[in-house]
Amino acid sequence: MTERLYSGPIIDAHHHLWDLTMGRHKWLMPSGGEVEALGGLDALRTNYLVEDFRADSARQRVVGSVHIEALWDRDDLVGETRWLETLDKSDNIASRYIANAGLGTPGAAAVLEEQASFPRVVGVREILSWHPDPKRSFATRSDIAEDPAWRADLALLPQHGLIFELMMYPYQAAMVSDLARRYPQLQFVVNHCGSPIDRDADGMQRWRDGLVTISQHENVALKISNMAAYDKDRTEDSLRAVAMHCLDCFGVARTMLATDYPVARLQMTYDAIYENFKQIFAPLSQDEQSALFHDNAARMYRFDEAV
């Protein structure tokens, strides 16, 4: 079979937008506190709007994209959705949303119901990424997903027709596997390759084993997004190794490709991300490539539905 680089339509299944003049993203403020795992955030401390995403993606055939909640202040989580609704949708940029409902907090059920009332909201996300080194943790607790109140809110998602997205580290693999087993009617989507954060031999084995564990559940899908995160080398071989283990675990049918822009700008340009994707997955058939670059995201995020 002759290898052929993908040239078809793309849905970027994971990116963020923000307007810092609104003062709603405290983690991006100089005094907001940095997560060491991300590195310095100076490059992100500027507005990133539809026109910025459009400029970054101009050389790729992006026909739609999914906005993922960007740690908007928790005192008005629906405010992010209302703001997104005001943005230009003429070229399908940020035309579907994964929102935040503050699962496990008082009033989360009401927030979830309000978020679900927006047709473009197709799911909610939680960040479960806890690391033994506090400087590398996003989550404040290692056991958030074991909290009964949190699980009670999670159980409400299917009745609203929403999927559940999450960030995790390999340390959470057993917990995520347990969630997928307990809630078989809920579609889970793991972000960022399951975050291979520890790049020594033991850490990479922990990550590989973790992906194998969670991939056993058919209701779990994976996004190969920001695959260069935590990778100081960022060589063709290191990127390919991560991407191909993801694909080996989840298969073409349960894998989507995405950028995590502009956060991924800390490591790679938008074009570099997609050019790497095209090279890595060139050995696949055109139908398989279409599934990864476009079709799976179109189905998962209901791009065929009028809103």
Side-chain angles (χ1 to χ4, degrees):
M1 181 177 65
T2 302
E3 292 187 5
R4 182 176 163 193
L5 296 182
Y6 184 74
S7 60
I10 292 169
I11 291 177
D12 186 341
H14 194 114
H15 74 90
H16 311 282
L17 300 173
W18 48 65
D19 182 346
L20 299 186
T21 67
M22 302 176 74
R24 286 297 186 172
H25 300 86
K26 289 188 173 58
W27 68 282
L28 285 170
M29 302 302 168
S31 60
E34 295 190 0
V35 177
E36 187 176 277
L38 282 178
L41 300 183
D42 287 347
L44 302 180
R45 292 190 175 114
T46 183
N47 291 348
Y48 196 76
L49 303 171
V50 171
E51 54 267 31
D52 302 301
F53 180 89
R54 189 180 288 131
D56 283 330
S57 62
R59 289 165 295 280
Q60 305 298 323
R61 194 179 163 190
V62 176
V63 299
S65 71
V66 183
H67 182 276
I68 309 300
E69 62 88 19
L71 301 181
W72 185 280
D73 287 352
R74 282 183 170 245
D75 63 339
D76 179 26
L77 291 174
V78 185
E80 183 175 42
T81 302
R82 296 193 194 97
W83 172 68
L84 290 168
E85 289 286 278
T86 70
L87 304 182
D88 176 28
K89 299 291 191 290
S90 60
D91 49 7
N92 247 1
I93 301 304
S95 60
R96 296 295 183 273
Y97 319 144
I98 297 297
N100 189 340
L103 302 184
T105 62
V111 173
L112 182 59
E113 184 171 4
E114 188 172 1
Q115 294 281 34
S117 71
F118 292 87
R120 295 184 192 277
V121 172
V122 295
V124 299
R125 181 174 83 146
E126 284 282 321
I127 296 179
L128 306 179
S129 306
W130 180 89
H131 193 281
D133 179 353
K135 293 181 179 180
R136 310 193 83 186
S137 288
F138 287 88
T140 57
R141 295 167 47 192
S142 64
D143 60 348
I144 293 172
E146 296 175 351
D147 182 88
W150 189 93
R151 291 196 172 198
D153 290 334
L154 183 74
L156 299 174
L157 267 62
Q159 71 186 51
H160 292 294
L162 300 178
I163 67 175
F164 179 62
E165 299 224 356
L166 65 138
M167 268 178 60
M168 58 168 280
Y169 287 152
Y171 299 96
Q172 286 80 62
M175 185 168 60
V176 171
S177 177
D178 181 62
L179 288 175
R181 179 181 61 82
R182 289 177 181 270
Y183 302 96
Q185 302 307 312
L186 180 59
Q187 176 67 60
F188 292 76
V189 179
V190 174
N191 298 172
H192 310 330
C193 309
S195 299
I197 184 168
D198 299 316
R199 289 293 176 138
D200 60 357
D202 288 344
M204 291 303 289
Q205 190 61 52
R206 183 184 306 114
W207 168 73
R208 287 190 290 268
D209 292 344
L211 280 197
V212 170
T213 296
I214 61 177
S215 68
Q216 303 309 305
H217 304 280
E218 289 298 319
N219 58 328
V220 182
L222 181 76
K223 281 194 273 200
I224 302 179
S225 49
N226 203 350
M227 63 177 174
Y230 321 120
D231 183 354
K232 293 181 180 179
D233 297 328
R234 293 194 285 279
T235 66
E236 180 180 341
D237 287 344
S238 66
L239 296 174
R240 185 183 300 273
V242 168
M244 291 309 299
H245 182 66
C246 291
L247 190 64
D248 288 344
C249 287
F250 285 86
V252 169
R254 291 191 289 145
T255 304
M256 297 174 285
L257 305 181
T259 62
D260 191 26
Y261 240 65
V263 177
R265 186 169 62 193
L266 295 172
Q267 287 85 30
M268 299 176 75
T269 67
Y270 198 95
D271 287 333
I273 292 171
Y274 272 105
E275 293 311 312
N276 273 282
F277 283 155
K278 291 173 185 179
Q279 291 289 340
I280 290 169
F281 299 114
L284 302 183
S285 72
Q286 286 300 292
D287 285 347
E288 290 172 325
Q289 291 184 53
S290 293
L292 295 176
F293 282 88
H294 176 274
D295 300 350
N296 292 345
R299 181 181 66 254
M300 182 72 70
Y301 299 110
R302 308 200 296 264
F303 274 82
D304 58 337
E305 296 182 8
V307 292

